[in-house]
């Protein structure tokens, strides 16, 4: 079985229990040292064969898989959650083609870790109810569908999480403030470098100051930018409907002034 495991954003205790169990059982581990801290390998057995994918091509990785029978427990450790820029699809497709058993074990994305580090929810009622995870086109510009550049999403507003773009801060700021953008120079932004790593940096700024702020962190990799009005500290007492006393749910009937009267006593409240 080949397990594509999300390592989480960096801290060794932010891998899921299932991910840690897969690492502990693995005979073979392929990990990305450029994106995943070495501390994550503490979950591996000391006799596991460890390969660093930082210097490997896809063909090299597939050759490691092919060298072992299907019942060998193999872990391919990807940063954050494998579903975002994880490059797992080509590996999953290979497994399907050659008849290998595989699974994906999800992980905590850097987007969630960055939001936690910034102390801001990304969806605030009446402000933003959508989050777009995107990137600048960059070196792999032919990967970027024409309608999906940062400028296209900036025109719509909401909350943007921009990954893989810290090396081109001027380009990022220019796309965020291009013609027709819903963002302004004073729109809040947060630069998060190495979220959950020991040297994590969190800098609250504005879109107008974004390029300078990114440069001031010194980061070009393992950094992301959150953009949008949801990132603003606010004192306007906005709150979600879900926990309002006047809002009913299948789990909580209408109540007044925070009273719990009417709530089904034997049922758990939703999250
Ligand atoms: C190849 S993508 C992988 C994303 C990953 N699958 C995820 O869910 O977070 C790498 C990019 O993710 C972002 N990233 C990953 N880990 C991060 C962290 N701990 N702090 C900030 N950004 C991070 C950076 O933008 C980096 O360039």
């Amino acid at each position: 079985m080949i397990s594509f495991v999300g390592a989480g954003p960096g801290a060794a205790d932010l891998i899921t229990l299932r991910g840690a169990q897969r690492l502990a059982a693995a005979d073979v581990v392929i990990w990305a040292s450029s994106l995943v801290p070495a501390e994550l390998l503490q979950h591996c057995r000391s006799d596991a064969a460890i390969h660093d994918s930082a210097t490997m091509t896809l063909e090299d990785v597939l050759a490691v898989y092919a060298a072992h029978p299907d019942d060998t427990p193999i872990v391919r450790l990807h940063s954050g959650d494998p579903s975002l820029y994880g490059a797992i699809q080509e590996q999953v497709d290979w497994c399907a083609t050659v008849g290998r058993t595989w699974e994906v074990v999800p992980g905590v994305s850097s987007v969630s870790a960055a939001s936690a580090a910034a102390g801001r929810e990304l969806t605030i009622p009446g402000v933003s109810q959508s989050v777009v995870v995107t990137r600048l086109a960059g070196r792999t510009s032919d990967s970027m569908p024409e309608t999906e550049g940062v400028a296209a999403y900036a025109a719509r507003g909401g909350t943007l999480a921009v990954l893989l773009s810290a090396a081109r801060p001027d380009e990022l700021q220019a796309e965020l403030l291009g013609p027709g953008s819903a963002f302004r120079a004073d729109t809040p932004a947060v630069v998060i470098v190495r979220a959950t790593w020991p040297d994590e940096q969190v800098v609250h700024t504005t879109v107008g100051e974004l390029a300078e702020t990114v440069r001031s962190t010194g980061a070009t990799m393992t950094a992301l930018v959150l953009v949008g009005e949801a990132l603003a500290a606010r004192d306007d007492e906005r709150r979600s409907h879900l926990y309002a006393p006047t809002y009913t749910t299948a789990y909580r009937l209408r109540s007044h002034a925070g009273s719990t009267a009417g709530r089904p006593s034997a049922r758990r409240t939703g999250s």
Side-chain angles (χ1 to χ4, degrees), residues 8-10 35 78-86 108-111 113-114 162-165 192-197 220-224:
L35 285 164
H78 287 272
S79 70
D81 182 76
S83 69
L84 295 172
Y85 307 112
V108 177
S109 174
S110 59
V111 178
V162 188
L163 278 63
L164 292 160
S165 304
I192 302 100
V193 182
R194 291 178 181 256
T196 80
W197 294 48
T220 55
M221 294 169 59
T222 327
L224 68 82

Side-chain angles (χ1 to χ4, degrees), residues 59-155:
E59 287 70 18
D60 297 332
V61 170
L62 298 182
V64 173
Y65 299 157
H68 298 277
D70 191 43
D71 59 357
T72 308
I74 298 176
V75 167
R76 175 74 168 99
L77 193 60
H78 287 272
S79 70
D81 182 76
S83 69
L84 295 172
Y85 307 112
I88 61 163
Q89 197 58 55
E90 59 233 45
Q91 301 176 72
V92 166
D93 292 347
W94 177 86
C95 289
T97 303
V98 302
R100 291 290 291 257
T101 317
W102 59 277
E103 66 171 350
V104 179
V105 179
V108 177
S109 174
S110 59
V111 178
S112 306
S115 158
R120 301 301 309 163
E121 180 176 341
L122 304 182
T123 51
I124 304 291
V127 176
S128 173
Q129 292 289 281
S130 310
V131 181
V132 170
V133 179
T134 188
R135 58 170 298 177
L136 287 174
R139 277 174 60 201
T140 51
S141 55
D142 59 339
S143 304
M144 179 62 80
E146 237 170 58
T147 53
E148 292 191 22
V150 169
Y153 291 114

Side-chain angles (χ1 to χ4, degrees), residues 242 247-254 262-271:
L242 186 56
Y247 189 77
T248 59
T249 74
Y251 294 93
R252 192 191 64 232
L253 303 179
R254 185 182 294 263
R263 187 178 67 187
S265 58
R267 302 174 80 171
R268 296 180 61 187
T269 52
S271 57

Side-chain angles (χ1 to χ4, degrees), residues 4-68:
F4 301 102
V5 174
D13 59 351
L14 278 176
I15 191 170
T16 65
L17 289 174
R18 187 181 298 181
Q21 284 161 3
R22 293 296 187 270
L23 277 178
D27 288 353
V28 180
V29 175
I30 305 180
W31 72 301
S33 69
S34 50
L35 285 164
V36 177
E39 287 69 48
L40 264 295
L41 299 182
Q42 74 189 37
H43 298 289
C44 301
R45 290 198 329 258
S46 57
D47 62 341
I50 311 280
H51 302 264
D52 182 359
S53 66
T55 57
M56 297 166 79
T57 62
L58 173 64
E59 287 70 18
D60 297 332
V61 170
L62 298 182
V64 173
Y65 299 157
H68 298 277

